Every structure is written in structure tokens, then in C-alpha cells.
Amino acid sequence: MDFRNQNSSAHLYSCSAPAASFIIPRSTPEDEYWPADRWGSSEAQTGPSYPEDPSENTAGDFGYDDCPFEFEDYDDSDCSSSITESIRGHVYENGLRYHAYHAGKYAYPNDETEQCREDIKHTMSTMLLDGQYFLAPVEEALEEGGEVLDLGTGIGLWPMQVAEKYPDAVITGIDLSPIQPSFVPENVHFIVDDMEDEWVDPENKYDYIHLRFALHTLKDRKTLMKRALRHLKPGGYFEIQEIDCSNTKCDDYTLTPETPYPVRDYLKYLDAGLRAMGADLSAIQHTAKEMREAGFEDVTEINKKLPLGLWPEDKKLRLCGLFWRTAVLDGLKGLCTRPFQAIGFTPEEIEVFLVGVRKAVMDGSFHTWCPFTTVYGRKPLDG
């Protein structure tokens, strides 16, 4: 949909400015920003020294004095937004805040805790991909001013950082929640909308469509695939990135099918709850097949190992594991409340159940990981 020309859409845009946050290594002058394409460099790997035994880790191992990164926020108080108060409204349930637009459509909250988790997951995924924002071969199209659509944009970090790297590209991010900053690059536009509604864009508009961390919440993936295909230009790419939480793995027998593991029980109930709401926690496992069925060509699937916790010996994986453990721990209640209630849990039962799950998440004796899966496909040139 050409969102920027729809007066009835809930727009989020304002003055031109740098992105809302940067990551600055302390080893460089404060006015030299560290681009994400250097995440995978040797500089990104110089950090705290790690004990050989993961169980010896303490909070000080990743304290502020040792951390090679610091996060610097910019004040957006001088910028305005045209978004209406009705769209800004929220729904509150069980101490959690949810989006009001199409209320109930999305299972997860949009409160401050969830926004912090989005920030953590963005940093983690960028590090895991060695500083890359995408894996589809679209860099040339973006350098030449391509049109990009980011579905389920969340807090908007991905489009803002991509816009900084590719200033000629035009990036539109859409989400059900109005939680994006108003202080954004001039080539970024945010819209409050539902990606599963019919798009009013002209067909053959986008060079690249991106979806991350939201596939498992969709009710009709096959329709979205066909819609994305229609709205891509011939030769354009659709890329989906997802953490396959339904597929917890272990390589060293610290976890077996018979081992009691509350995290596995949590994910089983979460999957059942999402299915009761019409979604599928394991959706990414079917994505390559569904892309081909929709008409995409050159469909490619790439899997990375995402550990839970500090057990890996590799420094980058250990840091990603710390980020992922933090994101999981902070999100346990918010992620499960609506899905668990959909299968009959009461709020009190949820709280009691989560006590054991939290202990298991922090238990470093389980060397578990989930696949971080990227699937992308190309629209046929004669499409």
C-alpha cells in the first residue's frame, strides 16, 4: 500500500534526523559511529575475558566496565507526530499493555519491557549475522534507491539502521503498535497498520520486503506470501528471519528427551496456545516450502545456531547467548499470558508455573540452542 499517500492511515513521521540510537565502541572517538557491518570484525570480538568454565561467570563478567559497547539515546522531544490519539491508545490486561488498533490480533504486549526485548533481539541477530541486516542479495538495489517494506517493524531499529547505511533507499515500516520514534532518518516512514489486511499499494512496487520475528504470530501465512509476491518488483526479494523456538536442540546430551526441562514445557504450552489463537510457533519450518508454492524462485534457507545462556566457548556465541537468555527471561510472562489463557491457564497458574521456568533458563548446565533461520526468495523476472 502506498501508505504515505493514504490520509486515513495512521502515520508516524516528522523531522529529518539521524537514527534514534547508535552503538559506540569506547575505543573510538565519540563522533565516529560504529556501523553494523563491523560487528563481525575482530574489533567486535574484543571484550571481557571469559572463564574457561561457563559456570564461573558472574555479573561482573559482563558489567559496564568490561562491555565494549555503550548505548546512547537521542532526545526526540522536539519532533512531532501526526498519529491520532485513538491509534495511540492501548489495551491493558493482567498488568501488561497491548496494542489497541485491531485489539487482540497480536498475542504479545508492546510495553516498555517488550520494547527493550526488541532492542536486545535486534542487536543479537545483527551480531549473529556478522553485522549484516539481511542475507538476500539486495544490496545493489538498496544502493540505487530501492523501495523497502519492513513488516512488523516493532520499535523500528532495523529500518532506521538500514536507512543510515543506504541513504538513497526508501524504507516503510508497518506495525500494529505505535511504538516507533518520531526522530528518524528522512528516508524512513512508519505506519500503524496490519500486514494481514489487504494492501492498497500498487503491485510491483517494492525491491525488497523484510519480515523478522513475527512470522509465528500470523494467521494466514500463505496469503501473505502471495501478497508479498504481487507487490514485489520482478526480481525483488522477500526475506523472513525467525527464531525457531519450537525446535530446542542440544548437541552434548546435557538435555535428552527424558530430561525434565521446564523451558521445553513452556514452549510446548506456548505452541498450543498460539495454535488456539490461529498461529504457529513452528511456522518458519514450513516457510521455504510455502515460498516455493507461492511462486518464488531461488528460495534459500540459512540456519545459525542461537545458544541460550553462557555455555558456548566462542565469544560471539556466548554474548549472543547472554542476549538471548536476557530476552527470554524478560519476556516469559508477556509472551505466554494470552496464549496460556487461550488453553485454560489462570493468571495465578501462570505465575506458579513460571517459577520453575525462570530457574531452568538460568541453569547453565543445559547446553541448549535454537535455530535462527533466514529464508528468502526471488520474484520471477517475468512475474
Side-chain angles (χ1 to χ4, degrees):
M1 43 198 138
D2 194 351
F3 299 107
R4 296 186 299 279
N5 296 325
Q6 299 297 316
N7 293 330
S8 59
S9 298
H11 290 249
L12 277 173
Y13 62 86
S14 56
C15 58
S16 304
S21 64
F22 300 93
I23 299 173
I24 307 174
R26 288 188 175 145
S27 59
T28 64
E30 291 187 354
D31 59 350
E32 291 184 15
Y33 300 122
W34 207 23
D37 56 14
R38 291 174 61 193
W39 273 102
S41 67
S42 59
E43 299 159 88
Q45 305 307 316
T46 58
S49 59
Y50 303 88
E52 293 183 4
D53 182 357
S55 65
E56 296 175 9
N57 282 281
T58 65
D61 290 330
F62 293 98
Y64 290 111
D65 292 337
D66 293 323
C67 182
F69 314 115
E70 63 182 39
F71 295 85
E72 187 170 301
D73 294 326
Y74 287 79
D75 182 12
D76 62 355
S77 58
D78 292 334
C79 295
S80 61
S81 169
S82 65
I83 190 168
T84 64
E85 290 302 317
S86 63
I87 298 299
R88 280 190 184 278
H90 300 287
V91 175
Y92 294 84
E93 299 173 6
N94 301 300
L96 300 168
R97 192 188 75 185
Y98 297 87
H99 65 92
Y101 181 69
H102 288 197
K105 182 70 178 291
Y106 186 65
Y108 304 144
N110 66 3
D111 50 26
E112 292 298 323
T113 299
E114 186 63 18
Q115 291 178 47
C116 287
R117 289 184 66 254
E118 288 293 312
D119 199 336
I120 292 170
K121 290 192 298 179
H122 172 78
T123 302
M124 173 195 75
S125 61
T126 306
M127 291 181 65
L128 198 62
L129 297 179
D130 298 319
Q132 299 179 82
Y133 296 117
F134 48 80
L135 298 182
V138 296
E139 186 166 6
E140 183 177 347
L142 269 59
E143 289 174 345
E144 295 175 354
E147 291 264 5
V148 178
L149 179 63
D150 184 35
L151 302 172
T153 195
I155 58 175
L157 278 178
W158 186 89
M160 289 192 297
Q161 291 187 6
V162 171
E164 287 287 317
K165 186 172 182 179
Y166 303 97
D168 292 328
V170 178
I171 306 173
T172 300
I174 70 170
D175 200 278
L176 286 168
S177 291
I179 55 175
Q180 302 77 30
S182 54
F183 193 61
V184 300
E186 62 182 3
N187 54 332
V188 173
H189 309 270
F190 292 125
I191 312 296
V192 176
D193 210 339
D194 186 347
M195 73 176 90
E196 293 199 83
D197 283 350
E198 190 61 43
W199 302 354
V200 296
D201 278 333
E203 296 184 0
N204 304 311
K205 176 179 180 179
Y206 293 105
D207 297 273
Y208 177 56
I209 298 177
H210 174 260
L211 171 63
R212 187 177 66 173
F213 302 148
L215 181 74
H216 71 282
T217 68
L218 301 182
K219 308 296 175 61
D220 190 352
R221 302 190 304 272
K222 292 184 179 181
T223 297
L224 183 72
M225 297 281 186
K226 295 176 182 177
R227 188 176 294 142
L229 187 72
R230 289 199 309 271
H231 291 275
L232 281 168
K233 296 176 183 177
Y237 281 85
F238 184 24
E239 179 169 340
I240 299 174
Q241 294 181 355
E242 189 77 277
I243 301 168
D244 187 3
C245 295
S246 70
N247 193 16
T248 301
K249 295 178 177 291
C250 178
D251 297 330
D252 60 5
Y253 301 104
T254 57
L255 179 69
T256 69
E258 294 76 30
T259 307
Y261 188 46
V263 174
R264 183 163 51 200
D265 299 333
Y266 174 92
L267 294 172
K268 178 183 69 175
Y269 292 132
L270 182 63
D271 186 27
L274 287 171
R275 288 179 187 275
M277 300 177 70
D280 183 357
L281 189 63
S282 64
I284 191 64
Q285 297 177 18
H286 316 292
T287 298
K289 178 176 179 288
E290 290 171 351
M291 271 195 177
R292 293 187 183 99
E293 290 175 347
F296 285 93
E297 297 180 343
D298 298 334
V299 176
T300 302
E301 179 173 328
I302 300 170
N303 287 286
K304 299 280 188 177
K305 182 181 291 189
L306 176 60
L308 178 63
L310 303 173
W311 58 266
E313 295 182 2
D314 179 84
K315 290 184 178 181
K316 184 183 76 172
L317 286 179
R318 185 179 293 217
L319 191 52
C320 287
L322 172 65
F323 283 142
W324 181 225
R325 189 182 71 180
T326 302
V328 170
L329 198 64
D330 290 350
L332 285 176
K333 179 181 178 180
L335 297 181
C336 81
T337 296
R338 277 183 169 176
F340 276 32
Q341 289 181 331
I343 55 174
F345 277 73
T346 66
E348 294 75 19
E349 288 171 335
I350 291 173
E351 290 294 346
V352 171
F353 176 72
L354 290 181
V355 172
V357 180
R358 292 188 179 99
K359 291 180 180 178
V361 171
M362 294 299 296
D363 188 343
S365 66
F366 297 113
H367 297 174
T368 59
W369 59 275
C370 293
F372 181 95
T373 303
T374 301
V375 181
Y376 61 81
R378 178 175 59 84
K379 180 174 180 175
L381 293 173
D382 58 354

